[in-house]
Amino acid sequence: MARLFEQRDREREQWDELLSAYLDDELSAGERARLEAQLATDQALQTELDALRYTVTLVRDLPPAPLPRNFILPQTMTARPQPAPLARPRRARLAPFLTAATAIVSLMFVVVLAGDLLLLSGTGRFASESANDWAMPEMAEIEAPLEAPASEPVAEQAAVLVTVEVEAEVVVEEAEEALDIEAVPQDTPLPMLAEIPSETEPTATSVAEGYAVGMSDGMSTTVPAAGGGGPTDETAPPPAPSASPAAELLAMPSPTIVEEADEAQTALPTAAARAQAVEGTPTLTPMEDAALPPQPVEEEAPRAMQIPPGEFGGEAEGEHNVPSTTIMPWRTLEIVLGLATLGLVIATVSAWRARRR
Amino acid sequence: MDEASLIAAAQQGKIDAFNELVLAYQQQVYNLAYRIMSDPASAADATQDAFIAAYKSIDRFRGGSFKSYLMRIVSNRCYDELRRRKRRPATSFEDFGEVDEEANPALINGHERPDEYTERQEMSHVIQAGIETLPADQRITLVFSDVQGMSYQEIAEAMDVSLGTVKSRLARARGKLRDYLRAEMELLPARYRLE
């Protein structure tokens, strides 16, 4: 039933469309002829056409609605809104150029940074030197003369001598040995380095002097230094006079601590000079490394760095200043490029924001 | 000054020239708005907005019928307003008491008797009420065609639709209005009744 009504309504709409277009003379000649033939025989269709024509006539005859007022525009609208010119600030116009500049500078910064990391990490020695140069220039100046003597036994011994703690242990051990041999009373005061206040870093000379004074005060035993013989005997001065007869018996072949201190001051320049002779290469060859006594040189270096510069000869400084002078401009370039990249990034972001506005 | 010269002057920012165009078309524009909106206040607002919009965008007018240009703007305004009302229906002051905007004594035909004038006013209200029952697109099409006398082609351009759509919408609008009048005009004198 509903389908019949729908079909009837659809057919009626189709007829209305033909009748409406017929009233407006919008039908083709063929459609018009077929419709007029249908109208001639279909009275109901003719009635619908008349009703539709009357409806259109009523609408067309509607009187015009009286104007409530005039709609002229006020003179204040004379300034007709023109399209806003695309006047962007200068910063916004520079956005593409700033972006390109930022990319270039940041690329340069990355290249320099990568080069720094690659070059300086290529050789560990160079890296450690450069790091020391950068962080604490005076440390490199101290370390250089200490590493150079490590290439030879004489230099190594000198480095041992300047090591305060190692020396103290050696002195204590030797003193104990002497005490055992000579049966010195246990209450005899032994000036040990442990008694030295830790605030004042003792140098080799001060330790040696303190020890010598202690010896002269109550300890009548002279102690042979570890490795006291050997190549350094040629440069070592004669043994210092002992204060007790027992010391005289035992101290003959070995130098005193004062001698060791003197030896340290004389051996380092000697070692530095020899290191210079090895074609300026401070690194050790495997052969030299094997020939060295098992004295841990690397463990001493950090301790030795606490010694103020100028304690040892400055001859070895010259050959290690080359990395220092090349590293400084490199790092300066890194800083400049980094700051430039940061500034350009900020300027670029600001420019693009202004451009969006 | 002819219409083309006035349009050119208005495009150069001369408000006086544009106001002459306003005076020439404001009756037709307002009448269209009134027949679509069925509300004098809304029709006045739509008309004013349409003229302001036409003035602001007159640089984009590239010839053709200035009347169609104005009719398109005002019909779009009315269409937007009708859609807004459909989403958020509101009660206007006119709903509490009918204001006979057409009851203007100046419009009384000198040869028309008072009872005839009253019948005609009643007939106008019924037709306008019938128009108001139509969907917005059919209503605008009917007003364009039967109130403004625009051709199918002009309506298609103004509403940016095809000729077939204009033809279909107009036929449906007329058919619905015919059926409405058939039901409502039985209360009117016999000479207004539809058979």
Side-chain angles (χ1 to χ4, degrees):
Chain A
M1 192 68 177
R3 186 176 298 174
L4 288 176
F5 280 116
E6 288 178 3
Q7 185 176 1
R8 192 189 64 179
D9 291 343
R10 198 176 306 117
E11 289 177 356
R12 193 170 182 228
E13 284 182 358
Q14 291 174 352
W15 279 115
D16 283 344
E17 192 167 330
L18 282 173
L19 295 174
S20 175
Y22 177 75
L23 293 175
D24 295 328
D25 199 14
E26 290 287 340
L27 289 179
S28 63
E31 290 174 333
R32 185 181 190 86
R34 284 194 296 272
L35 180 61
E36 288 178 348
Q38 184 72 21
L39 286 171
T41 58
D42 191 342
Q43 186 60 36
L45 187 62
Q46 184 64 46
T47 304
E48 290 297 315
L49 176 63
D50 294 339
L52 200 62
R53 181 183 288 115
Y54 186 63
T55 301
V56 172
T57 302
L58 287 175
V59 174
R60 286 179 179 170
D61 289 343
L62 282 173
L67 282 175
R69 58 184 172 87
N70 274 329
F71 294 99
I72 57 175
L73 302 184
Q75 293 294 323
T76 54
M77 289 196 65
T78 51
R80 187 159 44 89
Q82 297 292 335
L86 299 177
R88 290 171 174 162
R90 184 183 174 189
R91 188 175 52 180
R93 282 178 279 147
L94 290 176
F97 303 103
L98 285 173
T99 304
T102 303
I104 294 171
V105 173
S106 58
L107 183 63
M108 291 172 60
F109 177 61
V110 169
V111 168
V112 169
L113 197 63
D116 184 13
L117 293 175
L118 291 175
L119 289 176
L120 297 184
S121 63
T123 59
R125 182 181 184 81
F126 184 62
S128 63
E129 285 179 355
S130 63
N132 289 335
D133 282 342
W134 180 250
M136 192 182 295
E138 63 271 15
M139 292 170 64
E141 297 175 2
I142 299 167
E143 186 182 20
L146 289 177
E147 289 183 356
S151 62
E152 293 190 19
V154 174
E156 180 182 349
Q157 186 175 357
V160 170
L161 292 174
V162 298
T163 305
V164 177
E165 293 181 6
V166 173
E167 183 186 68
E169 292 174 0
V170 169
V171 168
V172 170
E173 290 173 1
E174 292 170 353
E176 288 176 351
E177 290 176 1
L179 289 172
D180 290 340
I181 294 171
E182 296 297 327
V184 175
Q186 294 295 321
D187 56 352
T188 302
L190 179 64
M192 300 176 67
L193 291 176
E195 298 174 358
I196 300 172
S198 59
E199 295 84 30
T200 58
E201 294 292 333
T203 62
T205 306
S206 63
V207 171
E209 288 174 351
Y211 186 71
V213 169
M215 286 293 189
S216 60
D217 287 341
M219 188 73 176
S220 60
T221 304
T222 56
V223 181
T232 57
D233 290 343
E234 299 175 359
T235 58
S242 300
S244 65
E248 290 179 1
L249 293 174
L250 298 172
M252 286 307 292
S254 61
T256 62
I257 298 301
V258 177
E259 290 172 353
E260 292 174 2
D262 293 336
E263 186 181 73
Q265 292 191 356
T266 56
L268 281 171
T270 305
R274 292 184 184 181
Q276 269 188 331
V278 189
E279 296 179 357
T281 54
T283 56
L284 295 175
T285 62
M287 293 294 290
E288 291 170 340
D289 198 11
L292 286 175
Q295 194 73 22
V297 177
E298 294 179 359
E299 294 179 3
E300 297 168 4
R303 297 168 184 164
M305 285 190 297
Q306 298 175 1
I307 300 171
E311 191 73 24
F312 301 102
E315 294 179 17
E317 291 180 17
E319 59 185 277
H320 293 284
N321 279 340
V322 176
S324 299
T325 54
T326 54
I327 290 302
M328 286 302 291
W330 189 270
R331 294 300 170 95
T332 305
L333 181 62
E334 286 180 359
I335 292 175
V336 169
L337 285 176
L339 292 176
T341 303
L342 182 63
L344 280 172
V345 166
I346 294 172
T348 304
V349 170
S350 174
W352 280 110
R353 284 183 177 174
R355 193 180 178 90
R356 287 195 189 99
R357 285 195 295 269
Chain B
M1 191 179 290
D2 60 348
E3 184 175 289
S5 301
L6 291 173
I7 293 171
Q11 287 176 333
Q12 295 174 358
K14 295 182 178 177
I15 190 70
D16 294 333
F18 186 81
N19 278 334
E20 288 195 35
L21 294 169
V22 171
L23 292 173
Y25 288 104
Q26 64 179 356
Q27 178 61 62
Q28 297 181 58
V29 171
Y30 175 78
N31 194 46
L32 174 71
Y34 178 79
R35 294 304 172 195
I36 294 173
M37 303 301 297
S38 302
D39 172 19
S42 300
D45 291 343
T47 302
Q48 188 69 77
D49 290 346
F51 280 124
I52 292 172
Y55 181 60
K56 287 182 178 178
S57 61
I58 198 169
D59 286 338
R60 284 176 282 182
F61 178 70
R62 295 286 181 264
S65 172
F66 189 71
K67 177 185 174 184
S68 297
Y69 170 72
L70 289 175
M71 296 300 172
R72 174 189 290 193
I73 293 174
V74 71
S75 65
N76 287 336
R77 297 276 167 172
C78 293
Y79 188 75
D80 293 341
E81 177 62 20
L82 290 175
R83 291 185 64 185
R84 190 192 65 80
R85 288 184 185 181
K86 191 174 182 180
R87 289 194 302 269
R88 290 181 296 176
T91 303
S92 64
F93 285 110
E94 284 76 9
D95 294 337
F96 294 101
E98 189 170 332
V99 177
D100 192 358
E101 191 71 22
E102 297 174 5
N104 188 343
L107 295 177
I108 295 177
N109 191 332
H111 304 286
E112 193 175 37
R113 299 194 312 267
D115 57 330
E116 292 176 348
Y117 170 76
T118 303
E119 288 179 357
R120 189 170 59 88
Q121 290 299 316
E122 188 70 20
M123 185 66 187
S124 296
H125 284 299
V126 172
I127 296 171
Q128 186 62 42
I131 293 173
E132 199 173 350
T133 63
L134 300 175
D137 53 350
Q138 295 179 17
R139 190 189 310 184
I140 294 172
T141 305
L142 178 76
V143 172
F144 269 148
S145 174
D146 297 338
V147 174
Q148 299 295 328
M150 296 169 66
S151 68
Y152 285 21
Q153 183 63 39
E154 290 174 332
I155 298 170
E157 292 175 359
M159 299 185 71
D160 198 19
V161 293
S162 65
L163 281 174
T165 302
V166 173
K167 195 175 179 180
S168 174
R169 286 180 180 176
L170 183 59
R172 291 180 184 176
R174 285 173 172 172
K176 289 180 181 177
L177 185 59
R178 177 197 58 201
D179 296 340
Y180 178 84
L181 293 178
R182 265 188 185 143
E184 297 293 327
M185 284 184 175
E186 291 180 356
L187 301 176
L188 293 176
R191 59 192 180 100
Y192 290 111
R193 293 176 189 168
L194 287 172
E195 297 297 333

